[in-house]
């Protein structure tokens, strides 16, 4: 049963209780909790941490909502963890252990199909890049007296914004 697995693995109960409050910024914008979705993926498939590019790592580090994710990625890569059980054991002393336990319990209650992991991983980073590009775009639009380099950057950012708006979101599968 779920209760036995939770007890044996030292996981938080999946019985509904007041969950840790999501970061205020994500709640205030009504944005999907991408950090939590990425945690779920990494707990289910720790090997995805090895696939992070330096650019993706930068996106995570530049968004305070993703601090638990960065901590998990650090643990996975430092210890070479390849299993969920190993990951949960290695994070017992983490300041985010309660969040990790809650998310792992959610995974037990409603497991995601492994064939969706790669697409969801890609979709999450598309959304993160959209946020970063949108912020830079808005900054450039609001800035008066742009110099030549800022005007060129505005063109690049505008093109990338258009490309990203056509990109697939989290949980959307490519049509074949």
């Amino acid at each position: 049963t779920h209760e036995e697995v939770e007890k044996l693995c030292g996981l938080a109960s999946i019985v509904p209780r007041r969950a840790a409050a999501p970061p205020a910024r994500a709640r205030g914008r009504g944005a999907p909790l991408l950090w939590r979705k990425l945690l779920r993926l990494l707990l289910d498939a720790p090997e995805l941490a090895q696939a992070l590019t330096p650019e993706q790592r930068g996106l995570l580090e530049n968004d305070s909502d993703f601090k638990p994710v960065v901590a998990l990625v650090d643990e996975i890569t430092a210890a070479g963890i390849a299993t969920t059980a190993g990951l949960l054991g290695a994070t017992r002393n983490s300041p985010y252990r309660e969040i990790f336990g809650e998310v792992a319990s959610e995974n037990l209650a409603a497991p995601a199909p492994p064939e969706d992991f790669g697409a969801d991983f890609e979709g999450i980073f598309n959304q993160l890049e959209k946020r970063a590009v949108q912020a830079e775009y808005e900054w450039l639009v609001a800035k008066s007296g742009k110099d030549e380099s800022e005007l060129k950057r505005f063109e690049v950012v505008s093109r990338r914004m258009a490309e990203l708006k056509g990109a697939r979101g989290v949980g959307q599968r490519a049509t074949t």
Side-chain angles (χ1 to χ4, degrees):
T1 67
H2 286 305
E3 293 82 15
E4 292 168 334
V5 172
E6 289 169 351
K7 186 176 179 181
L8 289 171
C9 294
L11 300 175
S13 174
I14 61 171
V15 174
R17 65 182 174 111
R18 184 175 174 93
R25 195 176 78 192
R27 189 181 336 117
R29 284 197 292 195
L33 299 174
L34 292 177
W35 66 270
R36 198 166 184 102
K37 289 180 182 185
L38 187 52
L39 271 180
R40 282 191 74 165
L41 282 173
L42 291 170
L43 285 167
D44 271 344
E47 67 276 6
L48 290 173
Q50 305 299 332
L52 279 177
T53 66
E55 293 80 14
Q56 289 170 329
R57 174 71 189 222
L59 288 169
L60 296 177
E61 291 173 347
N62 289 328
D63 190 328
S64 63
D65 293 351
F66 285 82
K67 283 183 180 181
V69 175
V70 171
L72 191 66
V73 167
D74 288 346
E75 192 65 45
I76 292 168
T77 55
I81 298 170
T83 66
T84 301
L87 185 54
L88 291 173
T91 58
R92 285 201 174 139
N93 295 324
S94 169
Y96 303 107
R97 69 185 168 275
E98 287 184 28
I99 293 171
F100 298 157
E102 288 173 16
V103 173
S105 292
E106 291 169 10
N107 284 354
L108 283 174
E115 61 271 9
D116 291 348
F117 291 170
D120 287 348
F121 188 75
E122 181 184 326
I124 287 167
F125 281 100
N126 282 340
Q127 291 297 316
L128 282 173
E129 186 180 1
K130 270 186 204 177
R131 287 181 187 180
V133 170
Q134 180 70 36
E136 185 176 4
Y137 177 84
E138 289 171 2
W139 179 80
L140 287 166
V141 166
K143 187 172 188 320
S144 59
K146 296 175 194 62
D147 63 24
E148 187 175 327
S149 67
E150 290 168 330
L151 289 171
K152 287 180 181 177
R153 181 67 188 156
F154 180 75
E155 289 176 25
V156 169
V157 169
S158 296
R159 270 194 307 273
R160 185 64 185 143
M161 179 65 78
E163 292 168 0
L164 288 169
K165 285 186 177 185
R168 201 172 34 78
V170 178
Q172 296 176 340
R173 292 193 179 128
T175 55
T176 53

